[in-house]
Amino acid sequence: MILTSAIDAIGNTPLVDLTRACAALGVEGRILAKLDFLLPGFSKKDRAAKAIIEAALADGSLKPGQPVVELTSGNMGTGLAIVCGILGHPFIAVMSRGNSVERARMMAALGAEVVLVDQAPGGTPGQVSGADLALVEDAAQRITAERGAFRADQFGHPGNPAAHETGTGPEFWEQSGGAVQVFADFVGSGGTLAGTARFLSPKGVACYAVEPQGAEALSGGDTAHPDHPIQGGGYGMAALDHMRNVPLAGTVTVTGQEARDHARLLARTEGLFAGYSAGANLAATAQLLRGAERGRTVGIVLCDSGLKYLSTDLWAEAAGDPAGPPASES
């Protein structure tokens, strides 16, 4: 098969049975991981980028050659850089300096103009808070007005969840032969979880939101300590447009250390080099398979590539054993 562009390579990622990880974790059940880090931009956000731009072109809200602006932790921006570059739209990515430098470099290499926004006072590099995101949003709004640009708006555009309702969810169901019983996903904009849940939940699949300890906005828990290293989400935002009326079975809370350890275990046992949010998804799934969903088949997304975290502490030291006692570090 010869594709006409990289845009046509977005979607239909493989589903892998994590038998080795399950054995290492000592859990009863099955974990099926969708390898979205194999998409052209190395993340699941390629799906939303494609859907938003195609919808905007179809309804006329995006004009030929018009600039596109979006706030990003780096993954959505990478997807938009690819799609916009191929379709002839200048793209301006607006990102907090708290995100890893690899993300900015990759977007720039793909032709994006990258605007980095300083973190809020007291912010920690590698940990992007809701306050940091608010500053990025202010800058994105200003640049959109100045450039006469189209705002991709991953937190509000219906193309984001639609990409997963028509793509990720059906792929899980078809590739697993209807075996998926549970789905869990780390929440950023909420698009992946919302869209996938809308497809899978009516089929009896229990869908869970994954949140970091200290930024537990959806569960109504602690939001006073949002200092976690899981980039791309966990901003402590309860009012996410995409998550309204989404059928959820519950929420699962993980620490930053658990996400880190499980990402490392995934690399060692399965040869799958993914990022922090993939580790968070695996850690949450281990909790579910030790508890309410013991013995069932859980689907997760490996959201982005570990290559986007080489400058962070994710790969800077030897991994611990996530099957051991819970870590106290957030």
Side-chain angles (χ1 to χ4, degrees), residues 65-110:
Q66 184 181 10
V68 175
V69 171
E70 182 56 337
L71 97 173
T72 180
S73 68
N75 285 335
M76 185 67 177
T78 300
L80 285 168
I82 292 169
V83 175
C84 290
I86 289 170
L87 297 179
H89 296 273
F91 172 59
I92 302 98
V94 190
M95 188 174 80
S96 171
R97 290 187 184 276
N99 289 296
S100 61
V101 66
E102 291 90 343
R103 295 162 178 250
R105 289 175 179 170
M106 185 174 182
M107 288 188 289
L110 290 165

mmCIF file of all heavy atoms in Angstrom, residues 65-110:
data_model
loop_
_atom_site.group_PDB
_atom_site.id
_atom_site.type_symbol
_atom_site.label_atom_id
_atom_site.label_comp_id
_atom_site.label_asym_id
_atom_site.label_seq_id
_atom_site.Cartn_x
_atom_site.Cartn_y
_atom_site.Cartn_z
ATOM 1 N N GLY A 65 -4.762 28.295 3.379
ATOM 2 C CA GLY A 65 -3.557 29.046 3.722
ATOM 3 C C GLY A 65 -3.620 29.813 5.024
ATOM 4 O O GLY A 65 -2.636 30.455 5.415
ATOM 5 N N GLN A 66 -4.734 29.775 5.736
ATOM 6 C CA GLN A 66 -4.877 30.519 6.990
ATOM 7 C C GLN A 66 -3.996 29.902 8.083
ATOM 8 O O GLN A 66 -3.906 28.685 8.197
ATOM 9 C CB GLN A 66 -6.335 30.504 7.454
ATOM 10 C CG GLN A 66 -6.614 31.335 8.706
ATOM 11 C CD GLN A 66 -8.083 31.261 9.120
ATOM 12 O OE1 GLN A 66 -8.856 30.458 8.586
ATOM 13 N NE2 GLN A 66 -8.469 32.094 10.064
ATOM 14 N N PRO A 67 -3.345 30.727 8.902
ATOM 15 C CA PRO A 67 -2.554 30.179 10.009
ATOM 16 C C PRO A 67 -3.432 29.456 11.029
ATOM 17 O O PRO A 67 -4.617 29.757 11.182
ATOM 18 C CB PRO A 67 -1.917 31.421 10.633
ATOM 19 C CG PRO A 67 -1.999 32.477 9.601
ATOM 20 C CD PRO A 67 -3.245 32.187 8.819
ATOM 21 N N VAL A 68 -2.833 28.509 11.715
ATOM 22 C CA VAL A 68 -3.486 27.755 12.786
ATOM 23 C C VAL A 68 -2.677 27.952 14.062
ATOM 24 O O VAL A 68 -1.445 27.910 14.041
ATOM 25 C CB VAL A 68 -3.574 26.252 12.441
ATOM 26 C CG1 VAL A 68 -4.137 25.448 13.617
ATOM 27 C CG2 VAL A 68 -4.424 26.034 11.195
ATOM 28 N N VAL A 69 -3.378 28.187 15.172
ATOM 29 C CA VAL A 69 -2.735 28.371 16.477
ATOM 30 C C VAL A 69 -3.325 27.366 17.456
ATOM 31 O O VAL A 69 -4.523 27.085 17.421
ATOM 32 C CB VAL A 69 -2.963 29.798 17.023
ATOM 33 C CG1 VAL A 69 -2.482 29.922 18.472
ATOM 34 C CG2 VAL A 69 -2.256 30.828 16.146
ATOM 35 N N GLU A 70 -2.483 26.810 18.324
ATOM 36 C CA GLU A 70 -3.006 25.973 19.399
ATOM 37 C C GLU A 70 -2.043 25.924 20.576
ATOM 38 O O GLU A 70 -0.817 25.946 20.404
ATOM 39 C CB GLU A 70 -3.281 24.553 18.905
ATOM 40 C CG GLU A 70 -3.863 23.611 19.931
ATOM 41 C CD GLU A 70 -5.165 24.064 20.596
ATOM 42 O OE1 GLU A 70 -5.457 25.267 20.618
ATOM 43 O OE2 GLU A 70 -5.882 23.207 21.114
ATOM 44 N N LEU A 71 -2.629 25.874 21.780
ATOM 45 C CA LEU A 71 -1.825 25.612 22.965
ATOM 46 C C LEU A 71 -1.579 24.115 23.014
ATOM 47 O O LEU A 71 -2.410 23.316 22.574
ATOM 48 C CB LEU A 71 -2.525 26.103 24.232
ATOM 49 C CG LEU A 71 -3.348 25.171 25.136
ATOM 50 C CD1 LEU A 71 -3.763 25.901 26.393
ATOM 51 C CD2 LEU A 71 -4.544 24.578 24.443
ATOM 52 N N THR A 72 -0.444 23.711 23.525
ATOM 53 C CA THR A 72 -0.081 22.299 23.466
ATOM 54 C C THR A 72 0.954 21.981 24.527
ATOM 55 O O THR A 72 1.728 22.852 24.960
ATOM 56 C CB THR A 72 0.474 21.955 22.067
ATOM 57 O OG1 THR A 72 0.826 20.562 22.023
ATOM 58 C CG2 THR A 72 1.692 22.795 21.719
ATOM 59 N N SER A 73 0.962 20.720 24.952
ATOM 60 C CA SER A 73 2.069 20.228 25.768
ATOM 61 C C SER A 73 3.156 19.684 24.850
ATOM 62 O O SER A 73 4.210 19.251 25.310
ATOM 63 C CB SER A 73 1.582 19.126 26.714
ATOM 64 O OG SER A 73 1.221 17.971 25.972
ATOM 65 N N GLY A 74 2.874 19.680 23.567
ATOM 66 C CA GLY A 74 3.837 19.211 22.570
ATOM 67 C C GLY A 74 3.270 18.159 21.652
ATOM 68 O O GLY A 74 3.599 18.111 20.461
ATOM 69 N N ASN A 75 2.386 17.305 22.156
ATOM 70 C CA ASN A 75 1.859 16.228 21.317
ATOM 71 C C ASN A 75 0.828 16.720 20.313
ATOM 72 O O ASN A 75 0.900 16.410 19.125
ATOM 73 C CB ASN A 75 1.265 15.127 22.198
ATOM 74 C CG ASN A 75 2.339 14.288 22.864
ATOM 75 O OD1 ASN A 75 3.456 14.199 22.371
ATOM 76 N ND2 ASN A 75 2.004 13.677 23.984
ATOM 77 N N MET A 76 -0.158 17.483 20.771
ATOM 78 C CA MET A 76 -1.139 18.044 19.838
ATOM 79 C C MET A 76 -0.434 18.948 18.831
ATOM 80 O O MET A 76 -0.749 18.940 17.637
ATOM 81 C CB MET A 76 -2.207 18.823 20.599
ATOM 82 C CG MET A 76 -3.337 19.342 19.716
ATOM 83 S SD MET A 76 -4.316 17.975 19.057
ATOM 84 C CE MET A 76 -5.573 18.883 18.179
ATOM 85 N N GLY A 77 0.533 19.704 19.311
ATOM 86 C CA GLY A 77 1.278 20.590 18.427
ATOM 87 C C GLY A 77 2.054 19.842 17.366
ATOM 88 O O GLY A 77 2.135 20.286 16.211
ATOM 89 N N THR A 78 2.600 18.690 17.730
ATOM 90 C CA THR A 78 3.320 17.878 16.749
ATOM 91 C C THR A 78 2.364 17.365 15.678
ATOM 92 O O THR A 78 2.655 17.416 14.479
ATOM 93 C CB THR A 78 4.026 16.704 17.441
ATOM 94 O OG1 THR A 78 4.953 17.212 18.408
ATOM 95 C CG2 THR A 78 4.763 15.841 16.443
ATOM 96 N N GLY A 79 1.198 16.866 16.111
ATOM 97 C CA GLY A 79 0.202 16.403 15.145
ATOM 98 C C GLY A 79 -0.249 17.511 14.223
ATOM 99 O O GLY A 79 -0.375 17.327 13.004
ATOM 100 N N LEU A 80 -0.496 18.696 14.789
ATOM 101 C CA LEU A 80 -0.929 19.830 13.975
ATOM 102 C C LEU A 80 0.177 20.300 13.038
ATOM 103 O O LEU A 80 -0.088 20.720 11.910
ATOM 104 C CB LEU A 80 -1.394 20.969 14.877
ATOM 105 C CG LEU A 80 -2.764 20.769 15.534
ATOM 106 C CD1 LEU A 80 -2.995 21.812 16.616
ATOM 107 C CD2 LEU A 80 -3.885 20.817 14.494
ATOM 108 N N ALA A 81 1.425 20.247 13.496
ATOM 109 C CA ALA A 81 2.538 20.636 12.637
ATOM 110 C C ALA A 81 2.592 19.742 11.400
ATOM 111 O O ALA A 81 2.828 20.215 10.276
ATOM 112 C CB ALA A 81 3.859 20.562 13.400
ATOM 113 N N ILE A 82 2.354 18.448 11.593
ATOM 114 C CA ILE A 82 2.359 17.511 10.470
ATOM 115 C C ILE A 82 1.196 17.798 9.517
ATOM 116 O O ILE A 82 1.381 17.968 8.301
ATOM 117 C CB ILE A 82 2.292 16.065 10.985
ATOM 118 C CG1 ILE A 82 3.594 15.705 11.710
ATOM 119 C CG2 ILE A 82 2.016 15.086 9.840
ATOM 120 C CD1 ILE A 82 3.536 14.404 12.478
ATOM 121 N N VAL A 83 -0.017 17.857 10.072
ATOM 122 C CA VAL A 83 -1.212 18.036 9.238
ATOM 123 C C VAL A 83 -1.195 19.392 8.535
ATOM 124 O O VAL A 83 -1.457 19.491 7.333
ATOM 125 C CB VAL A 83 -2.486 17.860 10.087
ATOM 126 C CG1 VAL A 83 -3.731 18.171 9.254
ATOM 127 C CG2 VAL A 83 -2.566 16.442 10.647
ATOM 128 N N CYS A 84 -0.882 20.440 9.301
ATOM 129 C CA CYS A 84 -0.874 21.786 8.710
ATOM 130 C C CYS A 84 0.226 21.938 7.668
ATOM 131 O O CYS A 84 0.023 22.579 6.627
ATOM 132 C CB CYS A 84 -0.704 22.834 9.813
ATOM 133 S SG CYS A 84 -2.145 23.013 10.884
ATOM 134 N N GLY A 85 1.372 21.370 7.938
ATOM 135 C CA GLY A 85 2.471 21.459 6.981
ATOM 136 C C GLY A 85 2.120 20.826 5.643
ATOM 137 O O GLY A 85 2.406 21.376 4.577
ATOM 138 N N ILE A 86 1.484 19.660 5.699
ATOM 139 C CA ILE A 86 1.109 18.955 4.476
ATOM 140 C C ILE A 86 0.011 19.702 3.722
ATOM 141 O O ILE A 86 0.021 19.778 2.481
ATOM 142 C CB ILE A 86 0.663 17.519 4.813
ATOM 143 C CG1 ILE A 86 1.885 16.694 5.247
ATOM 144 C CG2 ILE A 86 -0.043 16.856 3.633
ATOM 145 C CD1 ILE A 86 1.552 15.339 5.818
ATOM 146 N N LEU A 87 -0.932 20.311 4.469
ATOM 147 C CA LEU A 87 -2.077 20.975 3.843
ATOM 148 C C LEU A 87 -1.850 22.454 3.550
ATOM 149 O O LEU A 87 -2.746 23.137 3.040
ATOM 150 C CB LEU A 87 -3.318 20.803 4.730
ATOM 151 C CG LEU A 87 -3.778 19.350 4.923
ATOM 152 C CD1 LEU A 87 -5.000 19.296 5.832
ATOM 153 C CD2 LEU A 87 -4.091 18.689 3.577
ATOM 154 N N GLY A 88 -0.666 22.979 3.887
ATOM 155 C CA GLY A 88 -0.320 24.344 3.516
ATOM 156 C C GLY A 88 -0.797 25.427 4.456
ATOM 157 O O GLY A 88 -1.094 26.545 4.022
ATOM 158 N N HIS A 89 -0.849 25.134 5.747
ATOM 159 C CA HIS A 89 -1.244 26.129 6.749
ATOM 160 C C HIS A 89 -0.078 26.397 7.699
ATOM 161 O O HIS A 89 0.426 25.460 8.335
ATOM 162 C CB HIS A 89 -2.447 25.627 7.563
ATOM 163 C CG HIS A 89 -3.683 25.432 6.752
ATOM 164 N ND1 HIS A 89 -4.581 26.451 6.514
ATOM 165 C CD2 HIS A 89 -4.155 24.335 6.103
ATOM 166 C CE1 HIS A 89 -5.571 25.994 5.763
ATOM 167 N NE2 HIS A 89 -5.331 24.720 5.492
ATOM 168 N N PRO A 90 0.360 27.664 7.842
ATOM 169 C CA PRO A 90 1.355 27.963 8.872
ATOM 170 C C PRO A 90 0.797 27.579 10.237
ATOM 171 O O PRO A 90 -0.393 27.798 10.509
ATOM 172 C CB PRO A 90 1.530 29.482 8.759
ATOM 173 C CG PRO A 90 1.026 29.828 7.397
ATOM 174 C CD PRO A 90 -0.069 28.855 7.087
ATOM 175 N N PHE A 91 1.643 26.993 11.083
ATOM 176 C CA PHE A 91 1.174 26.570 12.402
ATOM 177 C C PHE A 91 2.022 27.197 13.491
ATOM 178 O O PHE A 91 3.255 27.147 13.438
ATOM 179 C CB PHE A 91 1.201 25.048 12.533
ATOM 180 C CG PHE A 91 0.900 24.580 13.932
ATOM 181 C CD1 PHE A 91 -0.315 24.906 14.537
ATOM 182 C CD2 PHE A 91 1.825 23.840 14.651
ATOM 183 C CE1 PHE A 91 -0.598 24.512 15.835
ATOM 184 C CE2 PHE A 91 1.554 23.425 15.942
ATOM 185 C CZ PHE A 91 0.340 23.766 16.537
ATOM 186 N N ILE A 92 1.363 27.792 14.489
ATOM 187 C CA ILE A 92 2.032 28.385 15.644
ATOM 188 C C ILE A 92 1.651 27.581 16.880
ATOM 189 O O ILE A 92 0.479 27.531 17.266
ATOM 190 C CB ILE A 92 1.641 29.868 15.836
ATOM 191 C CG1 ILE A 92 1.968 30.683 14.588
ATOM 192 C CG2 ILE A 92 2.372 30.444 17.052
ATOM 193 C CD1 ILE A 92 0.789 30.901 13.666
ATOM 194 N N ALA A 93 2.633 26.926 17.475
ATOM 195 C CA ALA A 93 2.436 26.136 18.689
ATOM 196 C C ALA A 93 2.778 26.990 19.900
ATOM 197 O O ALA A 93 3.857 27.597 19.949
ATOM 198 C CB ALA A 93 3.319 24.899 18.666
ATOM 199 N N VAL A 94 1.886 27.053 20.873
ATOM 200 C CA VAL A 94 2.108 27.841 22.086
ATOM 201 C C VAL A 94 2.215 26.861 23.245
ATOM 202 O O VAL A 94 1.262 26.123 23.536
ATOM 203 C CB VAL A 94 0.965 28.845 22.319
ATOM 204 C CG1 VAL A 94 1.330 29.808 23.440
ATOM 205 C CG2 VAL A 94 0.653 29.620 21.043
ATOM 206 N N MET A 95 3.360 26.838 23.917
ATOM 207 C CA MET A 95 3.645 25.783 24.888
ATOM 208 C C MET A 95 4.350 26.333 26.120
ATOM 209 O O MET A 95 5.159 27.255 26.034
ATOM 210 C CB MET A 95 4.522 24.702 24.241
ATOM 211 C CG MET A 95 4.727 23.460 25.088
ATOM 212 S SD MET A 95 5.617 22.147 24.208
ATOM 213 C CE MET A 95 7.313 22.701 24.359
ATOM 214 N N SER A 96 4.049 25.763 27.277
ATOM 215 C CA SER A 96 4.731 26.137 28.515
ATOM 216 C C SER A 96 6.177 25.660 28.501
ATOM 217 O O SER A 96 6.481 24.569 27.994
ATOM 218 C CB SER A 96 4.010 25.514 29.716
ATOM 219 O OG SER A 96 4.763 25.687 30.899
ATOM 220 N N ARG A 97 7.058 26.468 29.082
ATOM 221 C CA ARG A 97 8.451 26.053 29.218
ATOM 222 C C ARG A 97 8.606 24.871 30.172
ATOM 223 O O ARG A 97 9.685 24.264 30.249
ATOM 224 C CB ARG A 97 9.307 27.223 29.722
ATOM 225 C CG ARG A 97 9.503 28.340 28.702
ATOM 226 C CD ARG A 97 10.489 29.383 29.196
ATOM 227 N NE ARG A 97 10.592 30.492 28.264
ATOM 228 C CZ ARG A 97 11.374 30.504 27.180
ATOM 229 N NH1 ARG A 97 12.145 29.452 26.925
ATOM 230 N NH2 ARG A 97 11.404 31.550 26.383
ATOM 231 N N GLY A 98 7.545 24.536 30.890
ATOM 232 C CA GLY A 98 7.601 23.390 31.795
ATOM 233 C C GLY A 98 7.624 22.054 31.078
ATOM 234 O O GLY A 98 7.954 21.030 31.688
ATOM 235 N N ASN A 99 7.278 22.036 29.794
ATOM 236 C CA ASN A 99 7.292 20.786 29.033
ATOM 237 C C ASN A 99 8.695 20.474 28.525
ATOM 238 O O ASN A 99 9.547 21.362 28.405
ATOM 239 C CB ASN A 99 6.318 20.880 27.858
ATOM 240 C CG ASN A 99 4.877 20.853 28.310
ATOM 241 O OD1 ASN A 99 4.400 19.877 28.865
ATOM 242 N ND2 ASN A 99 4.175 21.957 28.080
ATOM 243 N N SER A 100 8.928 19.195 28.207
ATOM 244 C CA SER A 100 10.270 18.756 27.819
ATOM 245 C C SER A 100 10.713 19.414 26.514
ATOM 246 O O SER A 100 9.918 19.662 25.608
ATOM 247 C CB SER A 100 10.314 17.230 27.674
ATOM 248 O OG SER A 100 9.424 16.780 26.684
ATOM 249 N N VAL A 101 12.003 19.680 26.419
ATOM 250 C CA VAL A 101 12.567 20.407 25.290
ATOM 251 C C VAL A 101 12.452 19.618 23.984
ATOM 252 O O VAL A 101 12.380 20.196 22.896
ATOM 253 C CB VAL A 101 14.039 20.777 25.577
ATOM 254 C CG1 VAL A 101 14.916 19.526 25.662
ATOM 255 C CG2 VAL A 101 14.574 21.746 24.543
ATOM 256 N N GLU A 102 12.416 18.276 24.078
ATOM 257 C CA GLU A 102 12.293 17.460 22.876
ATOM 258 C C GLU A 102 11.038 17.830 22.082
ATOM 259 O O GLU A 102 11.035 17.802 20.851
ATOM 260 C CB GLU A 102 12.213 15.966 23.242
ATOM 261 C CG GLU A 102 13.481 15.377 23.792
ATOM 262 C CD GLU A 102 13.578 15.495 25.302
ATOM 263 O OE1 GLU A 102 12.831 16.299 25.897
ATOM 264 O OE2 GLU A 102 14.411 14.782 25.877
ATOM 265 N N ARG A 103 9.976 18.165 22.798
ATOM 266 C CA ARG A 103 8.708 18.468 22.148
ATOM 267 C C ARG A 103 8.825 19.739 21.296
ATOM 268 O O ARG A 103 8.359 19.781 20.156
ATOM 269 C CB ARG A 103 7.612 18.620 23.201
ATOM 270 C CG ARG A 103 7.340 17.328 23.956
ATOM 271 C CD ARG A 103 6.586 17.589 25.262
ATOM 272 N NE ARG A 103 6.299 16.350 25.944
ATOM 273 C CZ ARG A 103 5.087 15.817 26.070
ATOM 274 N NH1 ARG A 103 4.039 16.430 25.550
ATOM 275 N NH2 ARG A 103 4.904 14.678 26.695
ATOM 276 N N ALA A 104 9.430 20.759 21.861
ATOM 277 C CA ALA A 104 9.602 22.006 21.118
ATOM 278 C C ALA A 104 10.493 21.796 19.899
ATOM 279 O O ALA A 104 10.215 22.308 18.806
ATOM 280 C CB ALA A 104 10.191 23.077 22.026
ATOM 281 N N ARG A 105 11.544 21.037 20.065
ATOM 282 C CA ARG A 105 12.467 20.800 18.955
ATOM 283 C C ARG A 105 11.798 20.004 17.833
ATOM 284 O O ARG A 105 12.023 20.269 16.646
ATOM 285 C CB ARG A 105 13.713 20.076 19.469
ATOM 286 C CG ARG A 105 14.607 20.964 20.325
ATOM 287 C CD ARG A 105 15.769 20.202 20.909
ATOM 288 N NE ARG A 105 16.630 21.086 21.698
ATOM 289 C CZ ARG A 105 17.625 20.661 22.481
ATOM 290 N NH1 ARG A 105 17.881 19.365 22.560
ATOM 291 N NH2 ARG A 105 18.355 21.521 23.166
ATOM 292 N N MET A 106 10.988 19.034 18.208
ATOM 293 C CA MET A 106 10.317 18.239 17.184
ATOM 294 C C MET A 106 9.319 19.076 16.399
ATOM 295 O O MET A 106 9.257 18.999 15.164
ATOM 296 C CB MET A 106 9.614 17.041 17.830
ATOM 297 C CG MET A 106 8.990 16.099 16.818
ATOM 298 S SD MET A 106 8.303 14.611 17.592
ATOM 299 C CE MET A 106 7.722 13.740 16.133
ATOM 300 N N MET A 107 8.541 19.917 17.102
ATOM 301 C CA MET A 107 7.576 20.771 16.404
ATOM 302 C C MET A 107 8.288 21.726 15.459
ATOM 303 O O MET A 107 7.851 21.932 14.315
ATOM 304 C CB MET A 107 6.724 21.536 17.414
ATOM 305 C CG MET A 107 5.721 20.663 18.144
ATOM 306 S SD MET A 107 4.572 21.603 19.172
ATOM 307 C CE MET A 107 5.645 22.154 20.510
ATOM 308 N N ALA A 108 9.383 22.317 15.917
ATOM 309 C CA ALA A 108 10.133 23.241 15.074
ATOM 310 C C ALA A 108 10.696 22.523 13.848
ATOM 311 O O ALA A 108 10.676 23.054 12.729
ATOM 312 C CB ALA A 108 11.252 23.894 15.874
ATOM 313 N N ALA A 109 11.190 21.297 14.039
ATOM 314 C CA ALA A 109 11.732 20.522 12.927
ATOM 315 C C ALA A 109 10.660 20.232 11.881
ATOM 316 O O ALA A 109 10.954 20.133 10.682
ATOM 317 C CB ALA A 109 12.329 19.221 13.442
ATOM 318 N N LEU A 110 9.401 20.126 12.335
ATOM 319 C CA LEU A 110 8.288 19.848 11.429
ATOM 320 C C LEU A 110 7.705 21.114 10.808
ATOM 321 O O LEU A 110 6.691 21.061 10.115
ATOM 322 C CB LEU A 110 7.192 19.083 12.178
ATOM 323 C CG LEU A 110 7.546 17.641 12.545
ATOM 324 C CD1 LEU A 110 6.576 17.093 13.586
ATOM 325 C CD2 LEU A 110 7.548 16.756 11.299
#
